[in-house]
Amino acid sequence: METEKKPAIEMVKKGSKSQFKNFPMVPRVVYGVGCFDQLGDILLPKRKNSEAPIIYLVDEVFEHKALPGRLPVLFNDKVIFISADEEPKTEQVDTLVSYIKKEFEELPSGIVGIGGGTLLDMAKAVSIMLNNNGSAHNYQGWDLVGKPAIYHVGIPTISGTGAEVSRTTVLLGPSKKLGINSDYTTFDQVLLDPDLTIGVPKDQWFYTGMDCYIHCIESLNGSYLNAFSQSYGEKALDMCKEVFLGDLSPEESREKLMMASWHGGMSIAYSQVGVAHAMSYGLSYVLGTKHGIGNCLVFQHLQDYYPEGVKLFHEMKRQHKIELPKNICGALTDEEMDTMISVSLGMEPLWENALGRSWREKISRETLKELYLKI
């Protein structure tokens, strides 16, 4: 589908001058097999004193495995295991922040998130809310955060979401699913160790990897496309094709997908995602569908919007023998369907990127209902 093209590097007029958006990037990143073992050295100079702990938020899948024993725990550091079975919620963030403030006399020296997109988003949100008043749901939106987050580190253990590099932390709130989009959200430090992704179940590996692939397709076909986004998106897309259609060794596949995730996240820093993500937000809010599989469930039916991308998606799905759930929207009430559609349509920047500035004339509630009923 043709989209209206407009300059994606948006400018804000200031008198006779134009001001370009000044997006943050992760200032420090270490990459390589085994680099996780450098975490202690990285954290040591960030420790304020023995009473200001490092809080490790770790996917509970690692609770009885070797990884926790490798954490550089000192003084009164705290390891908190968190389930990633559901999307992160603003209420969950508020509970964690309240616990940390009551448990420790001083604010932590830092927050370390270890896991997939859910844990990375939790770490970003908690680090923000420890330094800002009120509930996390008050900050869902764009540039609502007033004070910098405390020092926070992201360590992905599955590749594809791009959460390790993005300026957003996507949360389910009481009335919407929306990110805390802020210059203060971005991690201060990221560790990319491909070996941490060993053992990821195949279906989860596929769904999360497809999140990266769909990032690329939506960014590269959007009206916000520019040379900055294109350079990262094309590289990420090439690596996704190598991983999901090529003949790589397991080691090469882990390394390629980890870097595809990084580049895919960067591709939307100066751009946006599109139809699949907008509709996936509705699925997640009403049905609790996890982000990766939600994108897949929607994307398979978007041939009218991304014909070549959808064709390649089905080829990847066939090659890896992935079967997606069916008829998950068939039993929705009218009220639930209306809510799902409203949540989706509320993602205005995503629709504008996908369909151009006149997107409201090109998509309707009826069209979205028809698409959802195919899922």
Side-chain angles (χ1 to χ4, degrees), residues 23-24 128 132 139 141-149 166-169 179-186:
F23 282 99
I128 285 173
N132 288 272
Y139 298 90
W142 280 265
D143 301 309
L144 301 176
V145 179
K147 296 180 181 178
S166 76
R167 74 185 291 270
T168 187
T169 168
I180 299 176
N181 296 273
S182 166
D183 285 356
Y184 299 129
T185 307
T186 313

Side-chain angles (χ1 to χ4, degrees), residues 128-350:
I128 285 173
M129 294 312 303
L130 282 168
N131 233 12
N132 288 272
N133 296 325
S135 170
H137 73 78
N138 293 327
Y139 298 90
Q140 287 181 284
W142 280 265
D143 301 309
L144 301 176
V145 179
K147 296 180 181 178
I150 69 169
Y151 178 77
H152 51 306
V153 179
I155 305 176
T157 61
I158 187 170
S159 299
T161 68
E164 65 274 15
V165 71
S166 76
R167 74 185 291 270
T168 187
T169 168
V170 181
L171 301 172
L172 278 171
S175 62
K176 57 193 170 186
K177 177 182 177 182
L178 186 61
I180 299 176
N181 296 273
S182 166
D183 285 356
Y184 299 129
T185 307
T186 313
F187 283 113
D188 298 295
Q189 171 78 58
V190 168
L191 276 77
L192 299 175
D193 185 339
D195 273 4
L196 294 181
T197 66
I198 293 175
V200 174
K202 183 177 181 180
D203 57 348
Q204 189 178 2
W205 165 81
F206 183 85
Y207 299 147
T208 310
M210 286 300 99
D211 188 17
C212 177
Y213 171 72
I214 295 167
H215 278 160
C216 299
I217 297 299
E218 292 183 323
S219 174
L220 292 170
N221 288 278
S223 65
Y224 289 5
L225 185 64
N226 58 82
F228 183 99
S229 300
Q230 187 173 3
S231 63
Y232 284 103
E234 289 178 345
K235 185 62 179 177
L237 181 58
D238 287 344
M239 288 189 284
C240 283
K241 291 176 181 178
E242 288 185 73
V243 170
F244 292 102
L245 296 173
D247 187 24
L248 301 178
S249 69
E251 295 78 11
E252 290 173 318
S253 178
R254 288 193 295 271
E255 293 178 356
K256 291 277 188 179
L257 190 55
M258 182 160 273
M259 292 317 302
S261 178
W262 181 272
H263 282 72
M266 286 299 301
S267 75
I268 57 173
Y270 240 123
S271 179
Q272 253 303 350
V273 284
V275 179
H277 278 75
M279 292 186 65
S280 176
Y281 274 58
L283 282 176
S284 179
Y285 185 78
V286 174
L287 296 175
T289 308
K290 292 295 293 293
H291 184 69
I293 189 173
N295 281 334
C296 292
L297 288 167
V298 175
F299 193 73
Q300 65 180 328
H301 299 297
L302 298 184
Q303 58 272 6
D304 289 343
Y305 302 92
Y306 309 107
E308 293 302 317
V310 173
K311 180 180 178 181
L312 198 60
F313 169 79
H314 284 297
E315 185 177 341
M316 293 173 175
K317 189 161 66 75
R318 283 193 297 271
Q319 183 160 318
H320 293 281
K321 299 179 174 61
I322 299 295
E323 293 292 330
L324 293 173
K326 296 179 180 178
N327 198 34
I328 70 167
C329 293
L332 288 176
T333 65
D334 290 342
E335 182 180 359
E336 288 172 326
M337 179 62 76
D338 285 343
T339 299
M340 186 177 287
I341 292 169
S342 294
V343 169
S344 176
L345 289 175
M347 308 305 298
E348 295 187 10
L350 282 63

Side-chain angles (χ1 to χ4, degrees), residues 80-93:
I80 301 174
F81 293 101
I82 297 174
S83 171
D85 289 341
E86 296 182 353
E87 297 281 277
K89 298 179 175 64
T90 56
E91 181 182 8
Q92 191 179 9
V93 173

Side-chain angles (χ1 to χ4, degrees), residues 9-50:
I9 303 180
E10 296 182 35
M11 297 176 287
V12 179
K13 294 292 185 181
K14 276 196 163 186
S16 60
K17 295 183 178 179
S18 297
Q19 185 177 43
F20 290 89
K21 287 186 177 180
N22 190 13
F23 282 99
M25 295 186 185
V26 175
R28 290 188 176 274
V29 57
V30 57
Y31 166 83
V33 172
C35 72
F36 180 76
D37 292 328
Q38 291 180 225
L39 181 59
D41 293 335
I42 289 170
L43 293 177
L44 191 58
K46 301 298 180 181
R47 292 180 179 274
K48 296 182 287 187
N49 57 63
S50 61

